Amino acid sequence: MSSETVLDVNAAFYRAIRRADMHAMDALWASGRAVSCTHPSGPGIRGRAAVMESWRLILEDGVALPIVPAEAQAIVTGTTAMVLCHEIIGDMVLMASNAFVLEDGRWRLINHQSAPIPGTVR
Amino acid sequence: MSSETVLDVNAAFYRAIRRADMHAMDALWASGRAVSCTHPSGPGIRGRAAVMESWRLILEDGVALPIVPAEAQAIVTGTTAMVLCHEIIGDMVLMASNAFVLEDGRWRLINHQSAPIPGTVR
């Protein structure tokens, strides 16, 4: 069992985006079950291959995304966890729900949705 | 064990909104664990009391919300499920992620986030 908490893994998720590290991103998502993802203002993406392709497009466009999580709170019950957090990108604030499951002793993402919170420009 | 599927419960969630049925809404959320909810363009709401208060404000403003789920797909693994679906409200389309757990044999919500999909006016 890893000593990583789900908040550590949530932080690693945003680090993978900041570093445009597709290898790390891939490893952060559950592999033994279906996953889903809704990027800001986008449709829902279902299935691991499609979700990974969406991240590849985001991370490989060559523009570093200075995204930082804030006020992250975890709700953990057994092998399932939700993390709610803000995502700070420059002067924009988004709200994210990230769902995790424990897979081989490590927290792995099964769903991510984030969307801008209007009127919260910093 | 109820024979309700998680898609049945997802449909019941939107029916509770359409009918402004706060009693049904309350019963649809898990009671044995923390829950969270992010309404469109809102901050993340954490904790059962705060989530229920947010629904009370939405359902008790006297305006019926003609919200209909569409293209709902469930990802079920053991006692956890995600439902992704569109939410059709008039000519607006939103994308929702709804997370459920099996509680006393019934699927109950632990997280809801929805946000508009721009450019998808019907």
Side-chain angles (χ1 to χ4, degrees):
Chain A
M1 174 79 76
S2 162
S3 63
E4 276 180 326
T5 68
V6 71
L7 286 176
D8 291 336
V9 178
N10 193 67
F13 169 61
Y14 291 104
R15 199 159 51 237
I17 303 176
R18 285 197 302 280
R19 294 178 178 173
D21 185 340
M22 190 59 214
H23 181 77
M25 177 61 75
D26 190 278
L28 285 163
W29 287 78
S31 59
R33 45 186 287 168
V35 299
S36 52
C37 185
T38 302
H39 299 291
S41 307
I45 302 167
R46 304 156 208 227
R48 199 176 201 289
V51 170
M52 287 309 125
E53 181 57 24
S54 75
W55 283 112
R56 204 163 282 120
L57 289 170
I58 291 169
L59 302 186
E60 292 185 354
D61 73 356
V63 180
L65 195 62
I67 189 171
V68 180
E71 298 182 44
Q73 283 190 17
I75 298 172
V76 181
T77 308
T79 58
T80 309
M82 288 294 318
V83 175
L84 263 61
C85 64
H86 288 170
E87 298 176 345
I88 315 291
I89 307 177
D91 58 6
M92 222 174 33
V93 183
L94 297 89
M95 183 68 219
S97 305
N98 299 322
F100 296 83
V101 291
L102 210 49
E103 192 176 79
D104 298 330
R106 311 194 72 156
W107 289 110
R108 289 298 173 254
L109 279 158
I110 57 163
N111 183 71
H112 161 76
Q113 177 166 8
S114 71
I117 311 178
T120 50
V121 167
R122 286 148 65 89
Chain B
M1 174 78 76
S2 161
S3 63
E4 276 180 326
T5 68
V6 71
L7 287 175
D8 292 335
V9 178
N10 192 67
F13 168 62
Y14 291 105
R15 199 158 53 235
I17 303 177
R18 284 197 303 278
R19 295 178 177 172
D21 184 341
M22 190 60 213
H23 180 77
M25 178 60 76
D26 189 278
L28 285 162
W29 287 78
S31 58
R33 45 184 289 168
V35 300
S36 51
C37 186
T38 303
H39 299 291
S41 306
I45 302 168
R46 305 154 207 229
R48 200 176 200 289
V51 169
M52 286 309 126
E53 181 57 24
S54 75
W55 283 112
R56 205 164 280 118
L57 290 170
I58 291 169
L59 301 186
E60 291 184 354
D61 74 354
V63 180
L65 195 63
I67 189 171
V68 181
E71 298 182 44
Q73 285 189 16
I75 298 172
V76 181
T77 309
T79 59
T80 309
M82 287 295 318
V83 175
L84 264 61
C85 64
H86 288 170
E87 298 176 347
I88 315 291
I89 306 178
D91 59 5
M92 224 175 28
V93 184
L94 298 88
M95 184 68 220
S97 305
N98 299 323
F100 297 82
V101 291
L102 210 50
E103 192 176 78
D104 298 329
R106 309 194 73 156
W107 289 108
R108 289 300 172 251
L109 278 157
I110 56 163
N111 181 73
H112 161 76
Q113 176 166 10
S114 70
I117 312 178
T120 50
V121 166
R122 285 148 64 88

